[in-house]
Amino acid sequence: MKKHNGMRPHDIVILLKIISYGHENWLMKDLGYDLYISLSEISESLNRSVLSGLISSNKKRIMKSCLLDFLVFGLKYVFPQKPGPLVRGIKTSHSSLPLSNIILSEEIYVWPYSEGNSRGFSIEPLHPNVPKACIKDPNLHELLSLVDAIRLGNKREFNIAVEELKQRIS
């Protein structure tokens, strides 16, 4: 059995992309193409997720309750985030759907991206190509925005994000 050296941030992106597909008929090349991540990184990521118990051994079925547990109870400790300087980018966390319909805030959080259409406090995405991938996939954008609300750790946003994630993942 291969040694597990811990999860990497893009492992979460890959698992959430699989969920955003909404079916089990995907290929690794689809993930690579849609996420702008090399096939070798996709393969290594899926192997780490199998060892962590977040995806089945055939690498086709997400272990949803395990993933939810990790996102809710571990994510903010493993991949924490604090807002950075004002930059141009794509909205995330409570500044993006679905939380922007629920939470009113003057603070805007964005993933830095030169082609973005918003200006706000920078939030480092779990992978550098997240903004580009989310432009193509609104479902993935929502999932990763909810994950960012969890990573930031503000109690109100955290609680709402957890409920929204549960609805989307379960």
Side-chain angles (χ1 to χ4, degrees):
M1 180 176 252
K2 196 167 187 169
K3 185 178 178 188
H4 188 282
N5 291 323
M7 298 294 286
R8 296 194 183 152
H10 64 274
D11 297 344
I12 302 305
V13 175
I14 292 167
L15 292 170
L16 292 176
K17 180 61 185 176
I18 293 169
I19 287 172
S20 82
Y21 284 141
H23 55 78
E24 293 184 15
N25 299 327
W26 54 267
L27 302 171
M28 279 198 290
K29 69 178 183 176
D30 298 330
L31 289 170
Y33 176 79
D34 291 341
L35 295 173
Y36 305 95
I37 298 175
S38 72
L39 290 180
S40 62
E41 277 297 319
I42 297 286
S43 177
E44 286 296 315
S45 173
L46 292 174
N47 288 333
R48 284 189 297 272
S49 293
V50 167
L51 289 171
S52 297
L54 299 176
I55 193 168
S56 63
S57 58
N58 71 359
K59 302 177 186 170
K60 288 294 181 182
R61 188 172 50 89
I62 301 290
M63 310 309 268
K64 293 178 180 178
S65 64
C66 296
L67 178 60
L68 267 171
D69 283 349
F70 178 69
L71 294 175
V72 172
F73 300 112
L75 190 73
K76 67 181 177 180
Y77 301 107
V78 180
F79 307 121
Q81 187 56 209
K82 296 291 179 207
L86 286 171
V87 297
R88 172 182 296 281
I90 296 175
K91 291 180 180 179
T92 187
S93 186
H94 68 268
S95 304
S96 178
L97 290 174
L99 296 181
S100 63
N101 286 338
I102 302 166
I103 298 170
L104 297 176
S105 175
E106 293 192 15
E107 284 184 343
I108 295 176
Y109 294 142
V110 299
W111 295 309
Y113 187 59
S114 62
E115 297 174 33
N117 57 4
S118 299
R119 187 164 169 76
F121 295 101
S122 66
I123 300 298
E124 177 123 10
L126 292 168
H127 186 273
N129 292 328
V130 158
K132 212 168 25 170
C134 286
I135 287 172
K136 291 190 327 189
D137 185 350
N139 291 332
L140 179 64
H141 190 177
E142 286 187 10
L143 290 169
L144 288 170
S145 292
L146 292 168
V147 163
D148 280 347
I150 289 172
R151 290 172 64 208
L152 288 165
N154 300 330
K155 197 64 176 167
R156 180 171 179 244
E157 289 88 350
F158 174 89
N159 290 333
I160 297 170
V162 167
E163 289 307 311
E164 291 289 327
L165 263 178
K166 284 179 181 176
Q167 290 175 13
R168 286 165 171 71
I169 291 178
S170 294

